[in-house]
């Protein structure tokens, strides 16, 4: 990967090919990225935040996605 942003985009497209999925209410593609927070999204239907790393082997990792 050339940089962290490219690795993050690849991770997000592999994790959620149709857009972010809220782990709380299950809505698809109806979330906005929280500014200043990597891979953290705010669901517009339920109002809760979800991470792209949640429920993956990288959930508790502090390593960069590029690693």
């Amino acid at each position: 990967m050339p940089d962290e942003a490219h690795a993050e985009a690849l991770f997000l497209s592999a994790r959620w090919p149709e857009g972010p999925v809220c782990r709380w209410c299950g809505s698809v593609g109806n979330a906005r990225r929280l500014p200043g927070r990597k891979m953290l999204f705010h669901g517009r239907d339920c109002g809760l935040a979800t991470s792209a790393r949640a429920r993956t082997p990288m959930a508790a990792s502090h390593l960069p996605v590029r690693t």
Side-chain angles (χ1 to χ4, degrees), residues 2-13:
D3 59 5
E4 185 69 14
H6 193 84
E8 183 178 324
L10 183 63
F11 182 85
L12 290 174
S13 67

Side-chain angles (χ1 to χ4, degrees), residues 22 24-27 30 42-49:
C22 180
W24 305 108
C25 69
S27 68
N30 194 17
H42 181 262
R44 292 183 179 163
D45 290 341
C46 65
L48 299 174

